């Protein structure tokens, strides 16, 4: 199949170029509709979606059960603000806490807001519960992290481009190498309130830490009365073949951030999950969001969570993910350096000599597969969790062709 992409799409590309800020460099595919793992562009070409909007559509595009919940709620009430209560928020809290095993939740909209909420919570916990002197709280993060795009969050990024031109930044962060438990131990001081990390670094290139790292991090945090916060906005809700990626090492963090697939791609919904002791530091007026916890968001998220459970998407991610990685490893390509990941969060790292991942993503687009390079040399394969083995076979044929080109 060769994709014809240069008639109707150019019109929309030109409009974006002419009127939009140029803060993205997307593939030139103009999507008009989508269903399950498939998207269709304005020229009628069909592609397998191997990005899932950075894991926001784990349930597959246009899932009918989520659509129905959304439409029903739209007909009732969409926004009350938290000045009043609504009949979706309480059930959402309960279902989310029962599913995840955390005591309390705090709803926001974007992932970055959930991370900001977590940062505020751990700082306040540090001052009010741990007894850190006012203004002295320290948070440890990892090199190569990604947690969103606010000024505070990019302030502790180690990616030069994310920071360039945006300072001054929020103080109080220390960076250690990802996966280095000794460095974590050495970085902790009496003023350390939290260690924030992604259990697998997503935007950083699908980096899986050494076995045992999360376990040791848990022990070190516990021994030092430091909160362990895992950012599961990309890795959570089934993506890695577990509900949360921290389960791969049998640990429990003190706090988790979730977003993306929490709405199945219908609406921005995020949340922070933690204990009563930690989220209990927030009192009325301390923190909030006009749209956070609105009834439409809650109804959508409730349906999105039900789909993950009812359709056993976590087991499917585990099984089909293992199969996908196995089939990728079979490809004998001079360009592939390593295949890695867990569940359906898969990274294919290319050799420097390959000429970069972008040209392979463009070639895959012409074969009917949409994926996106992360950093210069890594291709991420992260299809919706509803993908079946036969779909993987279809994809592998095309990936094989592209990976063995010159
Ligand atoms: C995407 C992502 C975020 C930010 O989410 P937004 O909704 O884009 O603000 C935060 N953390 C991780 C790990 C992510 O992958």
């Amino acid at each position: 199949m060769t994709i014809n992409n240069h008639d109707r799409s150019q019109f929309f590309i030109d409009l974006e170029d002419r009127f939009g800020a140029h803060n993205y460099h997307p593939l030139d595919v103009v999507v008009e509709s989508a269903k399950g793992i498939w998207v269709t562009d304005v020229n009628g070409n069909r592609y397998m979606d191997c990005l899932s909007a950075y894991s926001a559509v784990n349930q597959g595009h246009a899932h009918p059960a989520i659509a129905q919940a959304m439409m029903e709620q739209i007909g009732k009430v969409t926004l009350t603000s938290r000045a009043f209560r609504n009949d979706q928020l309480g059930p959402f809290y309960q279902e989310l806490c029962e599913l995840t095993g955390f005591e309390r939740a705090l709803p926001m909209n974007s992932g970055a807001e959930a991370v900001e909420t977590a940062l505020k919570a751990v700082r306040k916990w540090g001052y009010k519960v741990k007894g850190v002197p006012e203004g002295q709280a320290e948070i440890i993060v990892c090199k190569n992290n990604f947690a969103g795009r606010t000024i505070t969050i990019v302030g502790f990024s180690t990616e030069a481009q994310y920071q360039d031109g945006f300072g001054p930044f929020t103080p109080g962060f220390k960076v250690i190498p990802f996966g280095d438990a000794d460095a974590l131990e050495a970085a902790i001081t009496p003023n350390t309130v939290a260690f924030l990390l992604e259990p697998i670094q997503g935007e950083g290139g699908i980096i899986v830490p050494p076995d045992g790292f999360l376990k040791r991090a848990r022990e070190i945090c516990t021994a030092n009365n430091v909160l362990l916060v895992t950012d599961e906005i990309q890795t959570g809700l089934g993506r890695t073949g577990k509900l949360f990626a921290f389960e791969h090492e049998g640990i429990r963090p003190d706090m988790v951030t979730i977003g993306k697939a929490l709405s199945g791609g219908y609406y921005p919904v995020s949340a922070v999950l933690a204990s009563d002791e930690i989220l209990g530091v927030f009192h009325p007026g301390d923190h909030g969001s006009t749209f956070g916890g609105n009834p439409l968001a809650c109804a959508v998220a409730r349906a999105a969570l039900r789909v993950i459970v009812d359709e056993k998407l976590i087991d499917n991610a585990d099984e089909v993910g293992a199969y996908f990685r196995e089939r990728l490893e079979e490809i004998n390509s001079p360009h592939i350096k390593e295949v890695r990941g867990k569940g359906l969060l898969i990274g294919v790292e290319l050799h420097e000599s390959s000429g970069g991942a972008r040209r392979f993503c463009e070639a895959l687009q012409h074969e009917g597969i949409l994926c996106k390079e992360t950093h210069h040399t890594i291709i991420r394969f992260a299809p919706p969790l509803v993908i079946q083995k036969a779909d993987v076979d279809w994809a592998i044929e095309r990936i094989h062709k592209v990976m063995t080109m010159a």
Side-chain angles (χ1 to χ4, degrees):
M1 175 175 56
T2 303
I3 299 284
N4 168 7
N5 215 20
H6 283 286
D7 30 314
R8 286 197 65 213
S9 54
Q10 198 56 48
F11 171 76
F12 298 100
I13 293 165
D14 290 345
L15 283 178
E16 287 190 19
D17 280 350
R18 167 76 181 75
F19 295 108
H22 291 183
N23 58 325
Y24 276 91
H25 179 33
L27 290 178
D28 282 336
V29 54
V30 181
V31 175
E32 189 176 69
S33 63
K35 183 85 195 145
I37 63 168
W38 300 98
V39 305
T40 304
D41 75 7
V42 292
N43 295 316
N45 300 308
R46 225 164 76 107
Y47 308 82
M48 183 185 287
D49 181 359
C50 279
L51 182 63
S52 309
Y54 301 96
S55 296
V57 285
N58 284 1
Q59 298 87 340
H61 288 277
H63 195 290
I66 307 173
Q68 194 191 337
M70 187 166 189
M71 293 310 290
E72 279 173 14
Q73 191 59 43
I74 281 174
K76 291 178 183 167
V77 60
T78 58
L79 184 61
T80 55
S81 85
R82 295 289 303 280
F84 311 131
R85 298 178 189 271
N86 69 72
D87 70 356
Q88 291 297 312
L89 182 59
F92 171 53
Y93 280 151
Q94 182 179 15
E95 288 160 20
L96 186 58
C97 289
E98 285 176 358
L99 177 67
T100 61
F102 286 92
E103 289 172 354
R104 289 185 185 275
L106 195 162
M108 297 295 282
N109 312 285
S110 68
E113 286 174 304
V115 174
E116 289 274 350
T117 301
L119 298 173
K120 287 173 81 172
V122 298
R123 278 186 169 184
K124 193 145 195 170
W125 174 88
Y127 299 126
K128 305 294 175 186
V129 180
K130 183 169 176 171
V132 172
E134 192 55 40
Q136 302 295 307
E138 294 168 359
I139 296 168
I140 299 172
V141 298
C142 293
K143 220 177 132 196
N144 203 37
N145 69 72
F146 183 84
R149 300 293 201 157
T150 65
I151 286 186
T152 291
I153 291 170
V154 300
F156 61 76
S157 172
T158 56
E159 192 66 30
Q161 193 197 350
Y162 294 173
Q163 295 194 329
D164 182 31
F166 299 127
F169 300 114
T170 311
F173 296 90
K174 267 193 193 171
V175 183
I176 62 161
F178 184 57
D180 188 341
D182 294 336
L184 171 64
E185 200 157 29
I188 290 176
T189 75
N191 293 336
T192 305
V193 296
F195 176 41
L196 165 72
L197 82 165
E198 301 151 85
I200 296 173
Q201 290 186 328
E203 299 315 297
I206 323 295
I207 314 287
V208 184
D211 279 346
F213 172 62
L214 281 181
K215 224 179 186 149
R216 274 213 62 207
R218 174 69 279 179
E219 288 162 8
I220 292 165
C221 286
T222 302
N224 291 279
N225 197 21
V226 167
L227 300 178
L228 179 64
V229 184
T230 62
D231 179 350
E232 299 255 9
I233 290 166
Q234 185 160 163
T235 53
L237 304 179
R239 172 54 58 187
T240 71
K242 303 269 189 201
L243 180 62
F244 292 115
F246 65 69
E247 293 170 31
H248 289 287
E249 294 210 357
I251 62 139
R252 295 287 298 177
D254 299 294
M255 179 179 269
V256 176
T257 54
I258 54 174
K260 293 196 167 117
L262 185 52
S263 71
Y266 276 84
Y267 198 85
V269 191
S270 67
V272 168
L273 301 166
S275 65
D276 188 36
E277 174 185 295
I278 299 167
L279 282 181
V281 300
F282 285 127
H283 298 292
D286 284 350
H287 187 55
S289 161
T290 302
F291 278 80
N294 75 69
L296 183 58
C298 292
V300 166
R302 294 176 68 196
L305 291 173
R306 273 195 299 274
V307 167
I308 292 171
V309 174
D310 292 351
E311 300 188 9
K312 301 186 166 49
L313 295 185
I314 301 171
D315 291 342
N316 196 64
D318 183 43
E319 191 185 328
V320 179
Y323 180 70
F324 202 157
R325 286 198 308 279
E326 213 171 275
R327 296 290 324 265
L328 285 167
E329 273 160 8
E330 281 166 19
I331 297 175
N332 187 2
S333 159
H335 307 303
I336 297 180
K337 184 175 167 189
E338 189 187 26
V339 176
R340 59 176 179 248
K342 286 202 159 88
L344 281 166
L345 186 57
I346 302 171
V348 174
E349 180 159 6
L350 307 180
H351 290 290
E352 279 297 336
S353 58
S354 66
R358 176 82 184 193
R359 71 184 185 101
F360 293 93
C361 291
E362 286 170 1
L364 284 167
Q365 177 195 342
H366 290 286
E367 294 295 326
I369 295 175
L370 295 183
C371 51
K372 188 76 166 72
E373 75 276 9
T374 154
H375 286 222
H376 183 56
T377 55
I378 300 149
I379 306 175
R380 164 176 27 203
F381 291 100
L385 309 186
V386 296
I387 192 171
Q388 300 297 305
K389 284 184 182 171
D391 304 316
V392 172
D393 292 337
W394 183 94
I396 287 290
E397 233 176 87
R398 286 148 184 89
I399 295 167
H400 185 276
K401 182 174 164 193
V402 166
M403 283 302 156
T404 50
M405 72 186 191

